[in-house]
Amino acid sequence: MFDALSLHHLPKAEQYQQLAQQARVLMEGESDRIANAANMSALVMHALPDLNWAGFYFYDGTELVLGPFQGKPACLRIQLERGVCGAAATTRTTQLVPDVHAFPGHIACDAASRSEIVVPLVNKGRLIGVWDVDSPFPARFDVKDQSGMETLCQIYLDSVFSIR
Ligand code: SME
């Protein structure tokens, strides 16, 4: 089976270039949203340094419900008006949070989390869910991570929604 390699030693741009390539290979020919979400979580968690949680929440029409992830057990349901995930879902913009303690309403699923990035998943104007990644270090994520994570999310959305 596919061997998710650690990319810790590479500069960020290359980490995300490699991750995008690996994600495309992993999702090639598969459109199941759970299967591809599970592999994307495992891929990112194993490849990138300084993470403690990586995974999905899916929108069920009312709130966000926990999907495939890697890390400690997390909150099962998040209302749209709550937390970083809710903010990403309602504004439909990526939330880059350098200090989770300074974010009003942040939900601490894992007390170790210090910074976080949440990318909204939107297909044809419809909210699908969010992709959430946490780090135990402050300011772990920057605009390079944002752009890299957004690309990964687009690869995921294409795998699930593109007619191939
Ligand atoms: N911190 C998130 C909740 C999800 S966990 O980090 C996995 C939030 O504030 O929405």
Side-chain angles (χ1 to χ4, degrees), residues 53 57 74 78 83-85 106-107 109 116 132 134:
W53 204 89
Y57 280 88
I78 297 176
V84 186
C85 291
H106 168 257
I107 304 161
C109 290
E116 178 164 7
D132 179 9
D134 290 13

Side-chain angles (χ1 to χ4, degrees), residues 7 21 28 30 34 47 57 59 77 81 90 99 110 117 142 144 146 149 156 164:
L7 303 174
Q21 206 181 326
E28 177 69 40
E30 180 54 69
I34 301 297
Y57 280 88
Y59 182 54
R77 289 173 183 268
E81 59 277 11
T90 49
D99 175 6
D110 182 343
I117 182 168
D142 61 18
K144 283 186 186 158
Q146 175 172 352
M149 293 293 185
Y156 171 76
R164 286 173 299 176

